[in-house]
Amino acid sequence: MNRREENKEFKGATQYVLDDELAKIVNISMALEMPLLLKGEPGTGKTMLAHSIAENLKMPLIVLNVKSSMKLVEALYQYDTLTRLNDSRFGDSKRDVSNIEEYIKMGKIGQAFTSDTRTVLLIDEIDKADTDFQDDMLDVLDQMEFDIIEIDKTIRAKNRPVFIITSNAKKNLSDPFLGRCNFHHIAFPDPKMMRKIIDVHFPDIDSMLTDNAIETFYRLRELDRVEKKPATRELINWIRALGADPDFKPKKLAKGEVPFLGVLFKKSEDYGLAMQSVNRRRMF
Amino acid sequence: MFNNFFYTLKEVGVPVSPTSFLTLQKALSKGLINSIDDFYTSSRTILVKGERYFDLFDQVFAHHFQGVALPEDMGLEVDALLRSMLDEWLKNPKELADLLGMEESELSKLTPEELIEYFKKRLKEQTERHDGGSKWIGTGGTSPVGHSGNHPGGMRVGGVSRNKSAVKVALERRYKDYSHTGPLTQATIGEALKHLRNLIPSGPKDQVNIDSTIYNTIKNGGEIEIVFDRGLKDRLKVILAIDNGGWSMDPFIPVVQTLFDYARAQFKDVKTYFFHNTVYDTLWEDPARHRKPLNVDEFVRVDPDTRLIMVGDASMAPYELMSSDGSIYVDTRSGRPSIERLQFMAASFPHNVWLNPVPSHMWHYTMTVDAIRQIFPMFELSLDGLEGAISHLVAK
């Protein structure tokens, strides 16, 4: 979409439709060496963006999936005490038990710091973890280094990774943390944009199918009281499902039939609601 | 550079920090920003840290670089205009339909909200062309619409924005729905209500904490030490009492409905009751307020840690609240003024709030609102208000 000549600039990737605004934001964050925090509804491509940056700039991608009980240390490094104990009792490995460093394993952030090339580090859904996690991360982001207490060694980032952080707004992020990030909110794509996205994923799709599928999709998204609205990911899977069904014809969608509703709605109550509305429509 | 821009942002309430402003300066001095479009995206991503403020940012940007009037001046005027337009619409639908370039039948299909939205869009088009767009409603004679059938509804994403200048993009105010004064949607309500959940360890220590067990065992040089933890439980109980009666609450039904639906999905232990205008001796478990009454006195038996959320416009005739036989229903007259019952409820549940769908700047026009505010901390049923209410409820 956005064609520029410079090499180290992000221009979108094969599986990702990038808008101009977002491209600018990614580039400026990289130039300023600041982490980019992305918010937005699930399924708007926050995670995909990191993948496409890595693909586009030919950097390795390291993904840190944040879990609710996660402590930052786990993301930095792990001291594998169990193996060390095992080695010390049974002594059947080549490792030197008295050298603790041999039992230190780098976590995802550690890997990104010690990597010989610049990496893209995706910290996915940071809001899942406690606020402690963000607070602890401030230092790491500021200093670009962390200490391994067990061996009293400081790990410095050889190359500053490109930080992409995503949040689904489950919890509010703390102000000091926000202060260190650049921020962008990805809005849900409008039908036009959605068409482009579909075209990227299914280059030789029947245009009538796309039209009808997108129309049905946006109609179903309008349903009231649905807790988890179907997002881009669901739409893509759904189109894949439709394409895999030999009996399916795009005309059916126009008539109001919606096969494979379960691909779009994954909560049983939502499914029920959608089912009702589809059936009601078909009767007219 | 752009100091004024920075301070205007601060004045209108966008939380901007000096550090981020310095970052912006750094970006400028590095030559990363070469056009006003660049400046728009860059300054927003660097300075503004939440989509709720994007709309305000857009307005300030348009003000600063195009001299568009700031919201304070604009908001009221438009509201007043809208109201007069709505009145006009009620009086003479045909004429208005002609003015808007729509079929009358088409117009009648729109709900008032949709009509207002449609109208605002027209108004905006008008302002862009010759800076006094508000005129045409008053005189009503001039033909307002150059290009009709312009994309109605829907939020635009950046993908299509390539050919537009930053100011135009800012003027479109595409983040309006996210702003803190914007309408409450399920997602925003959910986001706010989620803060209410507080998981705390409770019960016996009966869960093995594997990580600390391993850690401690190794620390002991292999002597096994098993560490137990308490399980996490969400112990929050919520009572939601909703005013669902009378025409005064009618406009707020959708938003209350959303709140109610979401509360049910979020909390395991939520009890919902209904009342009309205010509470006398009973609350009702059924929305029709007929079959399942619950005596308010029963609340003494409920855990006082329960959070009480009242939802209502708190607007009624003063006697309904103050007089000892105030109820407008004959069969619920009890001899005690409603205000005493409200005080009793507030005393039973020290963690309480009253959510009022009426905007807060209208509150002091209604006497009963002030009276009820003495009893319950009152918050506006908007995203900001809801967040205030939640933080009040979770406070110890």
Side-chain angles (χ1 to χ4, degrees):
Chain A
M1 299 192 57
N2 170 28
R3 307 249 173 257
R4 290 188 204 189
E5 296 308 310
E6 292 96 326
N7 200 19
K8 280 282 161 189
E9 216 165 64
F10 177 53
K11 299 167 210 140
T14 47
Q15 286 279 298
Y16 191 84
V17 181
L18 180 77
D19 63 68
D20 212 25
E21 194 176 30
L22 186 53
K24 255 184 218 162
I25 289 169
V26 170
N27 287 328
I28 201 150
S29 302
M30 274 166 44
L32 289 171
E33 305 194 318
M34 279 175 80
L36 176 59
L37 174 67
L38 294 171
K39 259 171 104 180
E41 246 184 87
T44 40
K46 299 186 290 292
T47 312
M48 281 299 285
L49 176 70
H51 285 268
S52 67
I53 294 175
E55 185 194 326
N56 191 255
L57 301 179
K58 309 227 165 30
M59 293 190 213
L61 173 72
I62 296 176
V63 184
L64 171 66
N65 284 307
V66 178
K67 300 191 180 66
S68 58
S69 57
M70 205 173 215
K71 297 268 173 299
L72 184 70
V73 178
E74 292 168 42
L76 300 173
Y77 70 93
Q78 272 173 332
Y79 173 23
D80 189 357
T81 48
L82 203 59
T83 316
R84 184 162 179 246
L85 180 68
N86 184 62
D87 286 356
S88 72
R89 292 236 160 154
F90 305 106
D92 52 359
S93 81
K94 292 195 189 76
R95 284 180 287 257
D96 178 6
V97 179
S98 58
N99 184 7
I100 295 179
E101 199 163 348
E102 295 206 26
Y103 297 95
I104 300 282
K105 282 183 190 159
M106 284 298 157
K108 296 291 182 189
I109 297 181
Q111 285 171 20
F113 277 20
T114 50
S115 160
D116 290 326
T117 53
R118 200 174 181 202
T119 53
V120 177
L121 178 59
L122 167 68
I123 302 178
D124 212 1
E125 305 190 23
I126 192 168
D127 52 329
K128 269 195 200 162
D130 273 343
T131 35
D132 292 355
F133 187 90
Q134 304 158 29
D135 293 344
D136 295 346
M137 227 172 103
L138 295 179
D139 278 345
V140 179
L141 287 180
D142 275 353
Q143 312 293 330
M144 277 297 139
E145 62 179 38
F146 60 87
D147 297 325
I148 299 178
I149 309 160
E150 282 83 355
I151 52 172
D152 203 14
K153 191 176 159 189
T154 306
I155 303 288
R156 272 179 182 287
K158 285 188 198 164
N159 296 289
R160 197 182 173 105
V162 179
F163 280 93
I164 304 288
I165 303 171
T166 74
S167 160
N168 279 333
K170 288 209 174 67
K171 286 180 199 138
N172 278 352
L173 300 173
S174 70
D175 287 342
F177 183 80
L178 287 173
R180 279 161 179 86
C181 300
N182 284 340
F183 175 84
H184 185 60
H185 179 273
I186 305 185
F188 197 84
D190 62 2
K192 241 192 210 158
M193 188 77 174
M194 191 56 96
R195 242 202 112 91
K196 281 187 196 157
I197 296 173
I198 299 296
D199 288 343
V200 164
H201 281 266
F202 305 95
D204 39 41
I205 192 174
D206 175 23
S207 82
M208 185 163 153
L209 173 62
T210 326
D211 287 345
N212 285 324
I214 289 179
E215 202 206 307
T216 314
F217 173 75
Y218 277 92
R219 203 183 64 230
L220 289 171
R221 264 182 68 83
E222 302 271 294
L223 282 182
D224 277 346
R225 288 185 298 173
V226 168
E227 205 186 328
K228 167 106 184 44
K229 286 186 177 168
T232 319
R233 188 188 306 128
E234 275 81 33
L235 176 62
I236 289 170
N237 286 337
W238 187 52
I239 292 182
R240 198 169 287 144
L242 294 178
D245 180 1
D247 295 335
F248 174 75
K249 291 196 184 61
K251 256 191 239 158
K252 284 190 182 172
L253 284 180
K255 272 193 219 151
E257 271 180 59
V258 185
F260 309 117
L261 208 52
V263 181
L264 291 172
F265 294 92
K266 287 165 181 167
K267 294 205 166 185
S268 55
E269 294 113 52
D270 292 355
Y271 181 81
L273 273 171
M275 200 68 179
Q276 267 180 17
S277 97
V278 168
N279 286 341
R280 206 177 300 143
R281 220 182 117 86
R282 273 179 67 188
M283 288 203 275
F284 293 113
Chain B
M1 267 205 273
F2 301 115
N3 287 2
N4 276 339
F5 180 60
F6 177 73
Y7 282 109
T8 325
L9 278 177
K10 210 169 165 61
E11 264 166 40
V12 297
V14 182
V16 281
S17 71
T19 333
S20 55
F21 189 56
L22 287 177
T23 315
L24 181 63
Q25 298 295 345
K26 199 170 117 194
L28 282 165
S29 66
K30 274 190 169 181
L32 296 170
I33 300 170
N34 300 315
S35 67
I36 189 141
D37 293 6
D38 284 354
F39 185 75
Y40 172 73
T41 23
S42 320
S43 58
R44 198 185 65 200
T45 186
I46 292 170
L47 295 175
V48 189
K49 309 290 184 186
E51 71 275 19
R52 287 171 54 193
Y53 304 105
F54 278 13
D55 183 47
L56 265 178
F57 176 85
D58 277 356
Q59 294 178 51
V60 172
F61 189 88
H63 165 71
H64 205 84
F65 293 94
Q66 185 88 328
V68 175
L70 270 183
E72 285 92 12
D73 325 315
M74 226 166 79
L76 252 181
E77 191 190 346
V78 170
D79 277 353
L81 282 172
L82 286 175
R83 210 158 298 139
S84 67
M85 187 206 60
L86 266 181
D87 290 344
E88 204 62 36
W89 175 51
L90 290 171
K91 266 188 260 163
N92 193 348
K94 178 88 178 46
E95 193 180 321
L96 188 79
D98 285 343
L99 281 178
L100 287 171
M102 278 172 103
E103 289 286 281
E104 195 189 330
S105 57
E106 226 176 300
L107 185 71
S108 58
K109 267 186 234 156
L110 297 175
T111 65
E113 284 85 1
E114 281 170 337
L115 186 72
I116 287 176
E117 274 310 303
Y118 181 77
F119 177 73
K120 275 185 183 161
K121 218 169 281 157
R122 281 299 145 87
L123 189 63
K124 220 175 289 160
E125 281 166 16
Q126 196 67 9
T127 350
E128 272 170 36
R129 238 170 305 140
H130 45 236
D131 237 48
S134 42
K135 256 190 181 164
W136 60 267
I137 309 151
T139 54
T142 46
S143 157
V145 204
H147 43 271
S148 61
N150 226 14
H151 57 87
M155 227 169 338
R156 235 175 41 74
V157 287
V160 211
S161 76
R162 261 165 302 160
N163 302 324
K164 298 200 172 153
S165 76
V167 176
K168 279 243 179 75
V169 173
L171 268 174
E172 279 184 356
R173 299 188 56 191
R174 48 204 165 117
Y175 290 100
K176 196 157 191 285
D177 286 3
Y178 295 109
S179 76
H180 54 124
T181 47
L184 277 178
T185 61
Q186 263 208 342
T188 51
I189 285 185
E191 200 179 316
L193 279 185
K194 264 174 194 147
H195 299 295
L196 246 189
R197 277 195 288 187
N198 67 340
L199 295 169
I200 42 169
S202 71
K205 288 194 171 183
D206 57 357
Q207 289 185 349
V208 180
N209 183 334
I210 295 174
D211 287 343
S212 349
T213 301
I214 294 175
Y215 183 79
N216 281 336
T217 305
I218 273 86
K219 235 182 154 184
N220 293 346
E223 257 348 285
I224 288 175
E225 183 181 331
I226 300 176
V227 182
F228 289 97
D229 273 347
R230 297 180 207 279
L232 286 178
K233 254 192 202 132
D234 193 352
R235 295 190 57 198
L236 205 64
K237 293 183 192 126
V238 178
I239 289 181
L240 188 62
I242 297 176
D243 176 358
N244 70 337
W247 57 270
S248 65
M249 278 297 285
D250 274 357
F252 311 117
I253 284 173
V255 66
V256 174
Q257 181 74 35
T258 318
L259 179 76
F260 171 73
D261 282 340
Y262 208 91
R264 249 200 330 201
Q266 280 302 302
F267 304 108
K268 281 214 179 75
D269 200 348
V270 57
K271 292 217 165 55
T272 317
Y273 300 105
F274 299 92
F275 60 93
H276 181 188
N277 278 355
T278 181
V279 181
Y280 300 98
D281 276 354
T282 45
L283 284 166
W284 304 87
E285 280 176 62
D286 59 320
R289 300 189 307 277
H290 182 61
R291 274 176 293 123
K292 289 190 201 149
L294 175 100
N295 197 318
V296 174
D297 290 325
E298 296 281 315
F299 279 147
V300 285
R301 295 197 298 182
V302 182
D303 182 1
D305 253 356
T306 306
R307 268 58 172 173
L308 174 67
I309 304 176
M310 308 282 291
V311 184
D313 59 359
S315 309
M316 61 204 97
Y319 74 85
E320 288 181 54
L321 193 62
M322 304 299 185
S323 139
S324 54
D325 274 323
S327 174
I328 50 174
Y329 297 109
V330 181
D331 51 341
T332 52
R333 290 196 177 158
S334 63
R336 252 177 304 190
S338 165
I339 193 155
E340 273 181 26
R341 310 304 291 173
L342 292 179
Q343 274 157 353
F344 167 75
M345 283 170 73
S348 310
F349 306 110
H351 300 282
N352 55 57
V353 290
W354 186 295
L355 293 174
N356 195 335
V358 178
S360 55
H361 60 88
M362 308 288 283
W363 288 354
H364 54 268
Y365 293 119
T366 314
M367 185 226 151
T368 49
V369 174
D370 273 334
I372 288 175
R373 276 175 79 187
Q374 310 280 326
I375 307 170
F376 294 98
M378 192 174 283
F379 295 90
E380 200 180 292
L381 190 50
S382 67
L383 196 49
D384 269 359
L386 201 55
E387 275 182 6
I390 300 291
S391 59
H392 180 82
L393 283 174
V394 291
K396 290 270 143 54

